Amino acid sequence: MAQQSERFTDPAVPVGPAGPVVARMRALGSLCPPGDGVAVFNRIYLTVTEEIGRRAAGRFVDRPAAAVLGVRSAERYLAAVDGLAAGARPPACWRPLFEYRRHPGVRPAQFALAGVNAHVGHDLALAVVDACRALGCAPADLEEDFERVGDVLELLEERIREELMPGPDLLEIADPLTHLLGCWSLERARDGAWLAARSLWRLGRLPGREPAEEFTERLDRSVGLVGRMLLTPLAGRPAPA
């Protein structure tokens, strides 16, 4: 990584908080009703993004590649939302959240983690390839920056579980939400995203576009399947404390 530092400090590469991305997420949040599933994910994502910008701007200022990676992944989420508003068919990874966003049987924590699932499993993997092309490097050169972005995602999951998940008392252990969301792991999703990014990079260097396109399509569908599972409507609500 040290050999890449001069390239990553190119002044043409944006450094620090992603102002335009944050502004677009704020605008989206102002347009959606509070209980809307997209609004739930957007609020948590925006809150963590702003918090990281305030607390840890210095942490990323020496690593412009991490900023590029974070921005590219956020742009894919926003592009999916913009495409839906324009009448386009959204990526399969985001489709479950868009379809179930107003379902009365889906809890806020499900909406939020379904968004994280799409954001990590699909968008982050493709964003690694996007960033490599923009920076003129290979995925191996971005591994440390991938981990830095992963630290932000851990805060995102932590905030979801603190604000939206039921507590650990005996009544809520029986809540089906606890068991449903216990089937999903951010760590495994991150590992899968890194493996997918490296595989997609290698496929992209083969003759023809078909192998990379087929891999991307299958990745999109598989992440969407997990998202649909996370959004399984639940019959009951947690008992009051």
Side-chain angles (χ1 to χ4, degrees):
M1 290 296 295
Q3 295 177 349
Q4 301 291 333
S5 60
E6 292 184 2
R7 174 164 50 194
F8 289 163
T9 54
D10 185 336
V13 177
V15 181
V21 167
V22 168
R24 289 173 66 194
M25 284 195 285
R26 287 175 179 166
L28 175 61
S30 68
L31 295 174
C32 297
D36 180 278
V38 175
V40 172
F41 168 71
N42 190 80
R43 177 179 63 81
I44 297 290
Y45 188 18
L46 174 60
T47 300
V48 170
T49 301
E50 291 176 325
E51 181 176 326
I52 291 297
R54 289 192 300 268
R55 280 184 0 190
R59 182 182 184 184
F60 287 146
V61 73
D62 295 329
R63 308 295 309 182
V68 172
L69 186 55
V71 168
R72 292 302 174 99
S73 58
E75 286 175 340
R76 284 189 170 275
Y77 153 61
L78 292 168
V81 175
D82 292 345
L84 180 69
R89 184 170 174 81
C93 62
W94 287 106
R95 212 171 295 153
L97 179 58
F98 294 161
E99 292 175 358
Y100 283 78
R101 62 193 295 179
R102 296 181 180 86
H103 197 295
V106 178
R107 312 270 187 88
Q110 292 175 265
F111 289 134
L113 282 184
V116 176
N117 171 67
H119 186 60
V120 176
H122 177 267
D123 291 359
L124 182 58
L126 270 60
V128 170
V129 177
D130 292 342
C132 286
R133 290 170 178 162
L135 295 164
C137 64
D141 299 317
L142 294 183
E143 186 168 6
E144 183 178 343
D145 302 291
F146 181 89
E147 293 302 323
R148 287 169 182 257
V149 173
D151 292 342
V152 176
L153 295 172
E154 285 185 4
L155 286 179
L156 183 60
E157 184 191 35
E158 187 178 299
R159 183 66 58 87
I160 291 169
R161 295 189 183 277
E162 286 178 356
E163 294 187 14
L164 304 177
M165 282 287 290
D169 61 283
L170 292 178
L171 287 176
E172 291 173 334
I173 286 177
D175 187 341
L177 175 65
T178 305
H179 299 279
L180 177 65
L181 300 187
C183 297
W184 186 86
S185 163
L186 175 61
E187 182 178 1
R188 289 196 297 269
R190 284 175 58 182
D191 290 345
W194 181 243
L195 177 61
R198 291 191 301 163
S199 300
L200 185 56
W201 179 257
R202 293 191 183 100
L203 290 172
R205 302 174 74 83
L206 296 177
R209 300 174 57 182
E210 291 81 4
E213 290 177 350
E214 181 178 354
F215 181 90
T216 301
E217 181 181 352
R218 290 179 181 272
L219 176 67
D220 189 22
R221 291 205 304 262
S222 64
V223 173
L225 182 62
V226 174
R228 200 165 294 277
M229 179 274 292
L230 288 171
L231 292 170
T232 300
L234 303 178
R237 292 285 178 177

